[in-house]
Amino acid sequence: MGKKYIIIGITFILSVALTVFFSLNMIEKNPNIIDNIVPKDPLIINNYKIEKYTNHQEDVFKLMIEYFDNEELTNEETAKHIAHNFLLDFYDISLSKSNNINAVMYIYEPLKPRFLEFGGNLYNFYAYYDKKKLEIVSSEITNTKKIKYDYIDDLKEIASKRNLEAYEVTISWKYKDNIENIHTVTVAFIDNIPYVFQVAN
């Protein structure tokens, strides 16, 4: 009877040791796996919140948090942060588990249904790709231009907004194993609140 317990004990210890060894080996080969095991807390500021984010997204979002904690805010700098965070949140879908569209909180409220439709089509297109390669690993604001922006709805369903203070923020960015992409995000202010109205390649 004693030998049986000894054998069971040795087997159990060996099983635990092997599990620990292979787990540590897996983490060493793929350090990002720990992010999926231990979920990060959401990043939140004002009306902006992201639940899942990569290290690069975290760095850029935290710069926005630091900026909003500053007493000397300007519309131009605000537009830069909104545009940068919008682009990363929308186009990085490496952590998306479904077709939930990211970055909706940055969009002008009446345009959200159309944005969700556009985003759904884009995310369905991306579904054919390896999501690991759809992580944005680098990004940089390369130009900012102040403009007067007129929003006129082609469908005549949303009231026009004319002569808005706005900024066209150009951002270069890269996916893993991908050439450089360049997009220009238009951020316009309504009642001093910044909204994303347009994205162009």
mmCIF file with all atom_site columns, all heavy atoms in Angstrom, residues 81-101:
data_model
loop_
_atom_site.group_PDB
_atom_site.id
_atom_site.type_symbol
_atom_site.label_atom_id
_atom_site.label_alt_id
_atom_site.label_comp_id
_atom_site.label_asym_id
_atom_site.label_entity_id
_atom_site.label_seq_id
_atom_site.pdbx_PDB_ins_code
_atom_site.Cartn_x
_atom_site.Cartn_y
_atom_site.Cartn_z
_atom_site.occupancy
_atom_site.B_iso_or_equiv
_atom_site.pdbx_formal_charge
_atom_site.auth_seq_id
_atom_site.auth_comp_id
_atom_site.auth_asym_id
_atom_site.auth_atom_id
_atom_site.pdbx_PDB_model_num
ATOM 1   N N   . HIS A 1 81  ? -4.018  63.775 -31.088 1.00 0.00 ? 81  HIS A N   1
ATOM 2   C CA  . HIS A 1 81  ? -4.177  62.602 -30.214 1.00 0.00 ? 81  HIS A CA  1
ATOM 3   C C   . HIS A 1 81  ? -5.407  61.789 -30.595 1.00 0.00 ? 81  HIS A C   1
ATOM 4   O O   . HIS A 1 81  ? -5.353  60.547 -30.625 1.00 0.00 ? 81  HIS A O   1
ATOM 5   C CB  . HIS A 1 81  ? -4.261  63.044 -28.750 1.00 0.00 ? 81  HIS A CB  1
ATOM 6   C CG  . HIS A 1 81  ? -2.941  63.434 -28.160 1.00 0.00 ? 81  HIS A CG  1
ATOM 7   N ND1 . HIS A 1 81  ? -2.008  62.515 -27.752 1.00 0.00 ? 81  HIS A ND1 1
ATOM 8   C CD2 . HIS A 1 81  ? -2.389  64.651 -27.933 1.00 0.00 ? 81  HIS A CD2 1
ATOM 9   C CE1 . HIS A 1 81  ? -0.934  63.125 -27.285 1.00 0.00 ? 81  HIS A CE1 1
ATOM 10  N NE2 . HIS A 1 81  ? -1.144  64.432 -27.383 1.00 0.00 ? 81  HIS A NE2 1
ATOM 11  N N   . ILE A 1 82  ? -6.516  62.472 -30.889 1.00 0.00 ? 82  ILE A N   1
ATOM 12  C CA  . ILE A 1 82  ? -7.733  61.756 -31.270 1.00 0.00 ? 82  ILE A CA  1
ATOM 13  C C   . ILE A 1 82  ? -7.504  60.983 -32.561 1.00 0.00 ? 82  ILE A C   1
ATOM 14  O O   . ILE A 1 82  ? -7.859  59.800 -32.678 1.00 0.00 ? 82  ILE A O   1
ATOM 15  C CB  . ILE A 1 82  ? -8.915  62.744 -31.429 1.00 0.00 ? 82  ILE A CB  1
ATOM 16  C CG1 . ILE A 1 82  ? -9.265  63.387 -30.073 1.00 0.00 ? 82  ILE A CG1 1
ATOM 17  C CG2 . ILE A 1 82  ? -10.145 62.039 -32.017 1.00 0.00 ? 82  ILE A CG2 1
ATOM 18  C CD1 . ILE A 1 82  ? -9.715  62.427 -29.011 1.00 0.00 ? 82  ILE A CD1 1
ATOM 19  N N   . ALA A 1 83  ? -6.904  61.636 -33.561 1.00 0.00 ? 83  ALA A N   1
ATOM 20  C CA  . ALA A 1 83  ? -6.654  60.981 -34.854 1.00 0.00 ? 83  ALA A CA  1
ATOM 21  C C   . ALA A 1 83  ? -5.744  59.775 -34.696 1.00 0.00 ? 83  ALA A C   1
ATOM 22  O O   . ALA A 1 83  ? -6.007  58.696 -35.258 1.00 0.00 ? 83  ALA A O   1
ATOM 23  C CB  . ALA A 1 83  ? -6.044  61.987 -35.828 1.00 0.00 ? 83  ALA A CB  1
ATOM 24  N N   . HIS A 1 84  ? -4.668  59.921 -33.937 1.00 0.00 ? 84  HIS A N   1
ATOM 25  C CA  . HIS A 1 84  ? -3.686  58.850 -33.759 1.00 0.00 ? 84  HIS A CA  1
ATOM 26  C C   . HIS A 1 84  ? -4.322  57.644 -33.062 1.00 0.00 ? 84  HIS A C   1
ATOM 27  O O   . HIS A 1 84  ? -4.183  56.490 -33.507 1.00 0.00 ? 84  HIS A O   1
ATOM 28  C CB  . HIS A 1 84  ? -2.507  59.383 -32.957 1.00 0.00 ? 84  HIS A CB  1
ATOM 29  C CG  . HIS A 1 84  ? -1.249  58.592 -33.134 1.00 0.00 ? 84  HIS A CG  1
ATOM 30  N ND1 . HIS A 1 84  ? -0.042  58.979 -32.612 1.00 0.00 ? 84  HIS A ND1 1
ATOM 31  C CD2 . HIS A 1 84  ? -0.993  57.413 -33.768 1.00 0.00 ? 84  HIS A CD2 1
ATOM 32  C CE1 . HIS A 1 84  ? 0.887   58.100 -32.919 1.00 0.00 ? 84  HIS A CE1 1
ATOM 33  N NE2 . HIS A 1 84  ? 0.332   57.128 -33.615 1.00 0.00 ? 84  HIS A NE2 1
ATOM 34  N N   . ASN A 1 85  ? -5.043  57.910 -31.975 1.00 0.00 ? 85  ASN A N   1
ATOM 35  C CA  . ASN A 1 85  ? -5.660  56.813 -31.239 1.00 0.00 ? 85  ASN A CA  1
ATOM 36  C C   . ASN A 1 85  ? -6.792  56.167 -32.023 1.00 0.00 ? 85  ASN A C   1
ATOM 37  O O   . ASN A 1 85  ? -6.985  54.946 -31.957 1.00 0.00 ? 85  ASN A O   1
ATOM 38  C CB  . ASN A 1 85  ? -6.159  57.304 -29.875 1.00 0.00 ? 85  ASN A CB  1
ATOM 39  C CG  . ASN A 1 85  ? -5.038  57.402 -28.865 1.00 0.00 ? 85  ASN A CG  1
ATOM 40  O OD1 . ASN A 1 85  ? -4.650  56.412 -28.259 1.00 0.00 ? 85  ASN A OD1 1
ATOM 41  N ND2 . ASN A 1 85  ? -4.487  58.594 -28.691 1.00 0.00 ? 85  ASN A ND2 1
ATOM 42  N N   . PHE A 1 86  ? -7.545  56.978 -32.773 1.00 0.00 ? 86  PHE A N   1
ATOM 43  C CA  . PHE A 1 86  ? -8.593  56.412 -33.625 1.00 0.00 ? 86  PHE A CA  1
ATOM 44  C C   . PHE A 1 86  ? -7.993  55.421 -34.622 1.00 0.00 ? 86  PHE A C   1
ATOM 45  O O   . PHE A 1 86  ? -8.471  54.301 -34.782 1.00 0.00 ? 86  PHE A O   1
ATOM 46  C CB  . PHE A 1 86  ? -9.335  57.516 -34.380 1.00 0.00 ? 86  PHE A CB  1
ATOM 47  C CG  . PHE A 1 86  ? -10.141 56.985 -35.534 1.00 0.00 ? 86  PHE A CG  1
ATOM 48  C CD1 . PHE A 1 86  ? -11.382 56.414 -35.325 1.00 0.00 ? 86  PHE A CD1 1
ATOM 49  C CD2 . PHE A 1 86  ? -9.633  57.012 -36.828 1.00 0.00 ? 86  PHE A CD2 1
ATOM 50  C CE1 . PHE A 1 86  ? -12.121 55.880 -36.387 1.00 0.00 ? 86  PHE A CE1 1
ATOM 51  C CE2 . PHE A 1 86  ? -10.350 56.486 -37.898 1.00 0.00 ? 86  PHE A CE2 1
ATOM 52  C CZ  . PHE A 1 86  ? -11.603 55.923 -37.675 1.00 0.00 ? 86  PHE A CZ  1
ATOM 53  N N   . LEU A 1 87  ? -6.946  55.848 -35.312 1.00 0.00 ? 87  LEU A N   1
ATOM 54  C CA  . LEU A 1 87  ? -6.363  55.004 -36.351 1.00 0.00 ? 87  LEU A CA  1
ATOM 55  C C   . LEU A 1 87  ? -5.869  53.682 -35.776 1.00 0.00 ? 87  LEU A C   1
ATOM 56  O O   . LEU A 1 87  ? -6.151  52.606 -36.318 1.00 0.00 ? 87  LEU A O   1
ATOM 57  C CB  . LEU A 1 87  ? -5.223  55.733 -37.062 1.00 0.00 ? 87  LEU A CB  1
ATOM 58  C CG  . LEU A 1 87  ? -4.674  54.964 -38.271 1.00 0.00 ? 87  LEU A CG  1
ATOM 59  C CD1 . LEU A 1 87  ? -4.424  55.894 -39.452 1.00 0.00 ? 87  LEU A CD1 1
ATOM 60  C CD2 . LEU A 1 87  ? -3.397  54.224 -37.927 1.00 0.00 ? 87  LEU A CD2 1
ATOM 61  N N   . LEU A 1 88  ? -5.151  53.742 -34.649 1.00 0.00 ? 88  LEU A N   1
ATOM 62  C CA  . LEU A 1 88  ? -4.628  52.508 -34.053 1.00 0.00 ? 88  LEU A CA  1
ATOM 63  C C   . LEU A 1 88  ? -5.757  51.596 -33.589 1.00 0.00 ? 88  LEU A C   1
ATOM 64  O O   . LEU A 1 88  ? -5.706  50.376 -33.784 1.00 0.00 ? 88  LEU A O   1
ATOM 65  C CB  . LEU A 1 88  ? -3.711  52.842 -32.870 1.00 0.00 ? 88  LEU A CB  1
ATOM 66  C CG  . LEU A 1 88  ? -2.395  53.547 -33.197 1.00 0.00 ? 88  LEU A CG  1
ATOM 67  C CD1 . LEU A 1 88  ? -1.574  53.718 -31.929 1.00 0.00 ? 88  LEU A CD1 1
ATOM 68  C CD2 . LEU A 1 88  ? -1.590  52.783 -34.234 1.00 0.00 ? 88  LEU A CD2 1
ATOM 69  N N   . ASP A 1 89  ? -6.772  52.181 -32.977 1.00 0.00 ? 89  ASP A N   1
ATOM 70  C CA  . ASP A 1 89  ? -7.856  51.365 -32.449 1.00 0.00 ? 89  ASP A CA  1
ATOM 71  C C   . ASP A 1 89  ? -8.672  50.726 -33.574 1.00 0.00 ? 89  ASP A C   1
ATOM 72  O O   . ASP A 1 89  ? -9.093  49.573 -33.472 1.00 0.00 ? 89  ASP A O   1
ATOM 73  C CB  . ASP A 1 89  ? -8.763  52.230 -31.563 1.00 0.00 ? 89  ASP A CB  1
ATOM 74  C CG  . ASP A 1 89  ? -9.698  51.403 -30.697 1.00 0.00 ? 89  ASP A CG  1
ATOM 75  O OD1 . ASP A 1 89  ? -9.390  50.227 -30.423 1.00 0.00 ? 89  ASP A OD1 1
ATOM 76  O OD2 . ASP A 1 89  ? -10.746 51.926 -30.289 1.00 0.00 ? 89  ASP A OD2 1
ATOM 77  N N   . PHE A 1 90  ? -8.876  51.464 -34.655 1.00 0.00 ? 90  PHE A N   1
ATOM 78  C CA  . PHE A 1 90  ? -9.711  50.948 -35.741 1.00 0.00 ? 90  PHE A CA  1
ATOM 79  C C   . PHE A 1 90  ? -8.972  49.938 -36.620 1.00 0.00 ? 90  PHE A C   1
ATOM 80  O O   . PHE A 1 90  ? -9.496  48.865 -36.932 1.00 0.00 ? 90  PHE A O   1
ATOM 81  C CB  . PHE A 1 90  ? -10.219 52.098 -36.609 1.00 0.00 ? 90  PHE A CB  1
ATOM 82  C CG  . PHE A 1 90  ? -11.123 51.643 -37.729 1.00 0.00 ? 90  PHE A CG  1
ATOM 83  C CD1 . PHE A 1 90  ? -12.304 50.969 -37.465 1.00 0.00 ? 90  PHE A CD1 1
ATOM 84  C CD2 . PHE A 1 90  ? -10.777 51.878 -39.046 1.00 0.00 ? 90  PHE A CD2 1
ATOM 85  C CE1 . PHE A 1 90  ? -13.134 50.539 -38.491 1.00 0.00 ? 90  PHE A CE1 1
ATOM 86  C CE2 . PHE A 1 90  ? -11.603 51.445 -40.084 1.00 0.00 ? 90  PHE A CE2 1
ATOM 87  C CZ  . PHE A 1 90  ? -12.778 50.783 -39.808 1.00 0.00 ? 90  PHE A CZ  1
ATOM 88  N N   . TYR A 1 91  ? -7.745  50.252 -37.012 1.00 0.00 ? 91  TYR A N   1
ATOM 89  C CA  . TYR A 1 91  ? -7.043  49.416 -37.986 1.00 0.00 ? 91  TYR A CA  1
ATOM 90  C C   . TYR A 1 91  ? -6.253  48.271 -37.366 1.00 0.00 ? 91  TYR A C   1
ATOM 91  O O   . TYR A 1 91  ? -5.874  47.337 -38.067 1.00 0.00 ? 91  TYR A O   1
ATOM 92  C CB  . TYR A 1 91  ? -6.125  50.269 -38.862 1.00 0.00 ? 91  TYR A CB  1
ATOM 93  C CG  . TYR A 1 91  ? -6.886  51.052 -39.902 1.00 0.00 ? 91  TYR A CG  1
ATOM 94  C CD1 . TYR A 1 91  ? -7.144  52.401 -39.724 1.00 0.00 ? 91  TYR A CD1 1
ATOM 95  C CD2 . TYR A 1 91  ? -7.366  50.431 -41.055 1.00 0.00 ? 91  TYR A CD2 1
ATOM 96  C CE1 . TYR A 1 91  ? -7.862  53.119 -40.673 1.00 0.00 ? 91  TYR A CE1 1
ATOM 97  C CE2 . TYR A 1 91  ? -8.082  51.134 -42.006 1.00 0.00 ? 91  TYR A CE2 1
ATOM 98  C CZ  . TYR A 1 91  ? -8.327  52.484 -41.809 1.00 0.00 ? 91  TYR A CZ  1
ATOM 99  O OH  . TYR A 1 91  ? -9.049  53.188 -42.744 1.00 0.00 ? 91  TYR A OH  1
ATOM 100 N N   . ASP A 1 92  ? -5.978  48.321 -36.063 1.00 0.00 ? 92  ASP A N   1
ATOM 101 C CA  . ASP A 1 92  ? -5.320  47.180 -35.409 1.00 0.00 ? 92  ASP A CA  1
ATOM 102 C C   . ASP A 1 92  ? -6.411  46.247 -34.889 1.00 0.00 ? 92  ASP A C   1
ATOM 103 O O   . ASP A 1 92  ? -7.096  46.571 -33.930 1.00 0.00 ? 92  ASP A O   1
ATOM 104 C CB  . ASP A 1 92  ? -4.433  47.654 -34.252 1.00 0.00 ? 92  ASP A CB  1
ATOM 105 C CG  . ASP A 1 92  ? -3.604  46.509 -33.678 1.00 0.00 ? 92  ASP A CG  1
ATOM 106 O OD1 . ASP A 1 92  ? -4.148  45.403 -33.498 1.00 0.00 ? 92  ASP A OD1 1
ATOM 107 O OD2 . ASP A 1 92  ? -2.423  46.726 -33.397 1.00 0.00 ? 92  ASP A OD2 1
ATOM 108 N N   . ILE A 1 93  ? -6.569  45.109 -35.544 1.00 0.00 ? 93  ILE A N   1
ATOM 109 C CA  . ILE A 1 93  ? -7.596  44.159 -35.094 1.00 0.00 ? 93  ILE A CA  1
ATOM 110 C C   . ILE A 1 93  ? -6.964  42.828 -34.688 1.00 0.00 ? 93  ILE A C   1
ATOM 111 O O   . ILE A 1 93  ? -7.599  41.783 -34.702 1.00 0.00 ? 93  ILE A O   1
ATOM 112 C CB  . ILE A 1 93  ? -8.675  43.945 -36.170 1.00 0.00 ? 93  ILE A CB  1
ATOM 113 C CG1 . ILE A 1 93  ? -8.078  43.432 -37.465 1.00 0.00 ? 93  ILE A CG1 1
ATOM 114 C CG2 . ILE A 1 93  ? -9.469  45.212 -36.400 1.00 0.00 ? 93  ILE A CG2 1
ATOM 115 C CD1 . ILE A 1 93  ? -9.127  43.015 -38.480 1.00 0.00 ? 93  ILE A CD1 1
ATOM 116 N N   . SER A 1 94  ? -5.708  42.886 -34.285 1.00 0.00 ? 94  SER A N   1
ATOM 117 C CA  . SER A 1 94  ? -4.984  41.666 -33.920 1.00 0.00 ? 94  SER A CA  1
ATOM 118 C C   . SER A 1 94  ? -5.583  40.989 -32.691 1.00 0.00 ? 94  SER A C   1
ATOM 119 O O   . SER A 1 94  ? -5.444  39.778 -32.525 1.00 0.00 ? 94  SER A O   1
ATOM 120 C CB  . SER A 1 94  ? -3.510  41.988 -33.665 1.00 0.00 ? 94  SER A CB  1
ATOM 121 O OG  . SER A 1 94  ? -3.370  42.935 -32.623 1.00 0.00 ? 94  SER A OG  1
ATOM 122 N N   . LEU A 1 95  ? -6.249  41.749 -31.825 1.00 0.00 ? 95  LEU A N   1
ATOM 123 C CA  . LEU A 1 95  ? -6.816  41.168 -30.602 1.00 0.00 ? 95  LEU A CA  1
ATOM 124 C C   . LEU A 1 95  ? -8.327  40.965 -30.694 1.00 0.00 ? 95  LEU A C   1
ATOM 125 O O   . LEU A 1 95  ? -8.949  40.523 -29.740 1.00 0.00 ? 95  LEU A O   1
ATOM 126 C CB  . LEU A 1 95  ? -6.503  42.082 -29.403 1.00 0.00 ? 95  LEU A CB  1
ATOM 127 C CG  . LEU A 1 95  ? -5.021  42.283 -29.089 1.00 0.00 ? 95  LEU A CG  1
ATOM 128 C CD1 . LEU A 1 95  ? -4.852  43.240 -27.914 1.00 0.00 ? 95  LEU A CD1 1
ATOM 129 C CD2 . LEU A 1 95  ? -4.340  40.960 -28.786 1.00 0.00 ? 95  LEU A CD2 1
ATOM 130 N N   . SER A 1 96  ? -8.926  41.303 -31.830 1.00 0.00 ? 96  SER A N   1
ATOM 131 C CA  . SER A 1 96  ? -10.372 41.175 -31.977 1.00 0.00 ? 96  SER A CA  1
ATOM 132 C C   . SER A 1 96  ? -10.769 39.704 -32.020 1.00 0.00 ? 96  SER A C   1
ATOM 133 O O   . SER A 1 96  ? -10.202 38.922 -32.773 1.00 0.00 ? 96  SER A O   1
ATOM 134 C CB  . SER A 1 96  ? -10.840 41.867 -33.257 1.00 0.00 ? 96  SER A CB  1
ATOM 135 O OG  . SER A 1 96  ? -10.583 43.249 -33.187 1.00 0.00 ? 96  SER A OG  1
ATOM 136 N N   . LYS A 1 97  ? -11.745 39.356 -31.212 1.00 0.00 ? 97  LYS A N   1
ATOM 137 C CA  . LYS A 1 97  ? -12.227 37.979 -31.183 1.00 0.00 ? 97  LYS A CA  1
ATOM 138 C C   . LYS A 1 97  ? -13.478 37.813 -32.047 1.00 0.00 ? 97  LYS A C   1
ATOM 139 O O   . LYS A 1 97  ? -13.973 36.732 -32.254 1.00 0.00 ? 97  LYS A O   1
ATOM 140 C CB  . LYS A 1 97  ? -12.560 37.568 -29.740 1.00 0.00 ? 97  LYS A CB  1
ATOM 141 C CG  . LYS A 1 97  ? -11.378 37.644 -28.790 1.00 0.00 ? 97  LYS A CG  1
ATOM 142 C CD  . LYS A 1 97  ? -10.294 36.666 -29.162 1.00 0.00 ? 97  LYS A CD  1
ATOM 143 C CE  . LYS A 1 97  ? -9.158  36.685 -28.159 1.00 0.00 ? 97  LYS A CE  1
ATOM 144 N NZ  . LYS A 1 97  ? -8.007  35.898 -28.581 1.00 0.00 ? 97  LYS A NZ  1
ATOM 145 N N   . SER A 1 98  ? -14.038 38.937 -32.517 1.00 0.00 ? 98  SER A N   1
ATOM 146 C CA  . SER A 1 98  ? -15.254 38.888 -33.323 1.00 0.00 ? 98  SER A CA  1
ATOM 147 C C   . SER A 1 98  ? -15.248 40.088 -34.245 1.00 0.00 ? 98  SER A C   1
ATOM 148 O O   . SER A 1 98  ? -14.228 40.746 -34.407 1.00 0.00 ? 98  SER A O   1
ATOM 149 C CB  . SER A 1 98  ? -16.481 38.918 -32.412 1.00 0.00 ? 98  SER A CB  1
ATOM 150 O OG  . SER A 1 98  ? -16.554 40.172 -31.763 1.00 0.00 ? 98  SER A OG  1
ATOM 151 N N   . ASN A 1 99  ? -16.396 40.384 -34.832 1.00 0.00 ? 99  ASN A N   1
ATOM 152 C CA  . ASN A 1 99  ? -16.485 41.538 -35.711 1.00 0.00 ? 99  ASN A CA  1
ATOM 153 C C   . ASN A 1 99  ? -16.953 42.788 -34.965 1.00 0.00 ? 99  ASN A C   1
ATOM 154 O O   . ASN A 1 99  ? -17.524 43.693 -35.578 1.00 0.00 ? 99  ASN A O   1
ATOM 155 C CB  . ASN A 1 99  ? -17.430 41.249 -36.887 1.00 0.00 ? 99  ASN A CB  1
ATOM 156 C CG  . ASN A 1 99  ? -16.728 40.447 -37.972 1.00 0.00 ? 99  ASN A CG  1
ATOM 157 O OD1 . ASN A 1 99  ? -15.502 40.347 -37.979 1.00 0.00 ? 99  ASN A OD1 1
ATOM 158 N ND2 . ASN A 1 99  ? -17.477 39.874 -38.872 1.00 0.00 ? 99  ASN A ND2 1
ATOM 159 N N   . ASN A 1 100 ? -16.729 42.849 -33.662 1.00 0.00 ? 100 ASN A N   1
ATOM 160 C CA  . ASN A 1 100 ? -17.020 44.079 -32.933 1.00 0.00 ? 100 ASN A CA  1
ATOM 161 C C   . ASN A 1 100 ? -16.100 45.168 -33.453 1.00 0.00 ? 100 ASN A C   1
ATOM 162 O O   . ASN A 1 100 ? -14.880 45.022 -33.422 1.00 0.00 ? 100 ASN A O   1
ATOM 163 C CB  . ASN A 1 100 ? -16.795 43.892 -31.424 1.00 0.00 ? 100 ASN A CB  1
ATOM 164 C CG  . ASN A 1 100 ? -17.839 42.983 -30.819 1.00 0.00 ? 100 ASN A CG  1
ATOM 165 O OD1 . ASN A 1 100 ? -18.937 42.863 -31.347 1.00 0.00 ? 100 ASN A OD1 1
ATOM 166 N ND2 . ASN A 1 100 ? -17.498 42.342 -29.711 1.00 0.00 ? 100 ASN A ND2 1
ATOM 167 N N   . ILE A 1 101 ? -16.673 46.276 -33.923 1.00 0.00 ? 101 ILE A N   1
ATOM 168 C CA  . ILE A 1 101 ? -15.894 47.304 -34.596 1.00 0.00 ? 101 ILE A CA  1
ATOM 169 C C   . ILE A 1 101 ? -15.256 48.221 -33.555 1.00 0.00 ? 101 ILE A C   1
ATOM 170 O O   . ILE A 1 101 ? -15.936 48.747 -32.673 1.00 0.00 ? 101 ILE A O   1
ATOM 171 C CB  . ILE A 1 101 ? -16.773 48.126 -35.558 1.00 0.00 ? 101 ILE A CB  1
ATOM 172 C CG1 . ILE A 1 101 ? -17.598 47.191 -36.452 1.00 0.00 ? 101 ILE A CG1 1
ATOM 173 C CG2 . ILE A 1 101 ? -15.918 49.070 -36.397 1.00 0.00 ? 101 ILE A CG2 1
ATOM 174 C CD1 . ILE A 1 101 ? -16.797 46.163 -37.205 1.00 0.00 ? 101 ILE A CD1 1
#
